[in-house]
Amino acid sequence: HEDDDDECETEESESVMEMRYSQRSKAAAKVQEGKVCSVSVLSGDPVVERNSTFQAHIAQINSIDQVHQVQAFLLSQPKIARATHNITAYRFECVNPSTGSVSIVHDNDDDGERKAGSRLAHLLQLSNSMNVYVMVSRWFGGTLLGSDRFTLINECARALLDRSGLIGHRQDHSINKDKDKQNKKGRS
């Protein structure tokens, strides 16, 4: 229900944000101690809407260890650690060495922006993006955005996924086949 979404967006006190920053920094330092992030991370351009800033960060991953490395690396960056919310989602394939069966490992975190993580995870599923970690940082600008914030979060992530070539291809290629048919007709 959209009204519930609007009610859940609240301004956070300075002390709550500082506490969250401190916890993020300590957690990132602990995880990162003695480790170097072996995964390349790409950050998108910031998007500003009514004084709130949104920025997506992505990485190709294929294990839970890499998820933790990327998260620790991102949260070790002071600017990102100071964001009001760092919404995350990831999705990767895992092969069972004994049976050869493939399963999809996925999870998400709202970081206090209720329902945002699951919506980001849904974007990864719908776009069939695989072996990817996404974080969208939001710096609250003082104006409540209501449900528009979800659109902005997903648009930031989608744009960066698209730019980096990490948006997957649907298993059912009928949509692409229709486009191919139209393109072939146009060339005739």
Side-chain angles (χ1 to χ4, degrees), residues 50-77:
R50 291 179 265 170
N51 296 323
S52 280
T53 302
F54 298 82
Q55 185 176 26
H57 319 278
I58 61 169
Q60 277 192 284
I61 50 99
N62 58 24
S63 70
I64 242 356
D65 186 48
Q66 288 182 332
V67 167
H68 294 228
Q69 283 182 34
V70 171
Q71 181 132 351
F73 170 75
L74 286 167
L75 294 177
S76 72
Q77 309 303 306

Side-chain angles (χ1 to χ4, degrees), residues 53-143:
T53 302
F54 298 82
Q55 185 176 26
H57 319 278
I58 61 169
Q60 277 192 284
I61 50 99
N62 58 24
S63 70
I64 242 356
D65 186 48
Q66 288 182 332
V67 167
H68 294 228
Q69 283 182 34
V70 171
Q71 181 132 351
F73 170 75
L74 286 167
L75 294 177
S76 72
Q77 309 303 306
K79 179 182 176 188
I80 295 171
R82 287 191 189 280
T84 312
H85 304 286
N86 285 303
I87 302 113
T88 62
Y90 63 85
R91 190 169 190 253
F92 64 90
E93 291 179 325
C94 182
V95 178
N96 182 325
S98 305
T99 63
S101 64
V102 177
S103 59
I104 296 175
V105 178
H106 59 93
D107 201 1
N108 66 80
D109 181 24
D110 295 329
D111 193 33
E113 186 75 276
R114 197 174 120 195
K115 297 183 184 179
S118 61
R119 290 173 186 234
L120 194 55
H122 192 236
L123 169 68
L124 294 180
Q125 180 185 6
L126 286 177
S127 65
N128 201 30
S129 297
M130 193 60 68
N131 300 331
V132 66
Y133 172 95
V134 178
M135 175 186 283
V136 177
S137 301
R138 179 190 182 185
W139 293 269
F140 182 70
T143 303

